[in-house]
Amino acid sequence: MAAITGPLSGDARNTVVEALQGALVDLIDLSLVAKQAHWNLIGSHFRPIHLQLDEVTELARTHMDTIAERVVALGGNPDGRAATVARSTKLPQPEGGWLDDGKVVATVTDTLDGISRRMYERIRATDEPDPVSQDLLIAVAQDIDKQHWMFQAQR
């Protein structure tokens, strides 16, 4: 079986693939958490938050594919399996049942804040070994920060 090789090797490759895998898990779980909240949201601000949660889901899905494909281009194997995400996620999970819009805004704001902080750590980790991957992580951080601001403004 042929293997995919990329421009990095050794510690540089391992550092970058680890950073990208962490980002992938964050993004996959963000898409799931946002959809769970989207489906179960109730409250007087239902409509705009419902639509904004779709934006967050789309952002996560778009970036997760780009991040996973970068892992492959580096010769790694992205792992987006449900068991891996469940075992590795750092995202707080929403409660079951109906979710009050105010609580959703607070939870999503905190979730995006945590993802943003981890993205900045990954940006720093990939600065020297792979500026291409760093650029991808910067794009993710830019979109996460924008959504974080928009949810934060609703508190």
Side-chain angles (χ1 to χ4, degrees):
M1 178 185 322
I4 306 297
T5 59
L8 304 177
S9 61
D11 289 341
R13 180 183 169 276
N14 294 340
T15 296
V16 174
V17 168
E18 180 181 329
L20 293 172
Q21 178 62 37
L24 180 61
V25 168
D26 273 350
L27 292 166
I28 291 170
D29 204 22
L30 177 60
S31 74
L32 297 171
V33 166
K35 266 304 179 187
Q36 183 68 19
H38 170 88
W39 294 324
N40 291 288
L41 181 70
I42 58 172
S44 60
H45 299 286
F46 167 83
R47 182 81 174 141
I49 296 169
H50 183 78
L51 295 174
Q52 189 174 4
L53 288 165
D54 269 343
E55 292 175 17
V56 170
T57 301
E58 183 59 30
L59 168 163
R61 288 177 178 169
T62 298
H63 284 298
M64 77 170 110
D65 193 52
T66 302
I67 294 294
E69 288 175 353
R70 181 65 184 162
V71 172
V72 175
L74 295 174
N77 297 107
D79 191 349
R81 296 174 296 172
T84 300
V85 173
R87 181 177 58 251
S88 306
T89 190
K90 302 213 182 322
L91 275 63
Q93 300 301 300
E95 298 172 9
W98 302 119
L99 301 170
D100 178 72
D101 56 3
K103 190 168 187 177
V104 167
V105 167
T107 299
V108 173
T109 299
D110 292 345
T111 298
L112 292 169
D113 181 60
I115 293 171
S116 175
R117 290 175 193 276
R118 288 188 295 280
M119 286 300 163
Y120 280 87
E121 290 169 9
R122 294 171 184 131
I123 288 166
R124 286 188 292 276
T126 56
D127 179 38
E128 188 178 320
D130 188 20
V132 174
S133 294
Q134 184 189 44
D135 280 350
L136 298 178
L137 293 167
I138 289 169
V140 173
Q142 178 183 5
D143 286 348
I144 292 292
D145 289 350
K146 180 179 179 182
Q147 285 296 328
H148 179 248
W149 150 56
M150 291 181 161
F151 271 94
Q152 201 173 24
Q154 295 178 72
R155 279 187 151 174

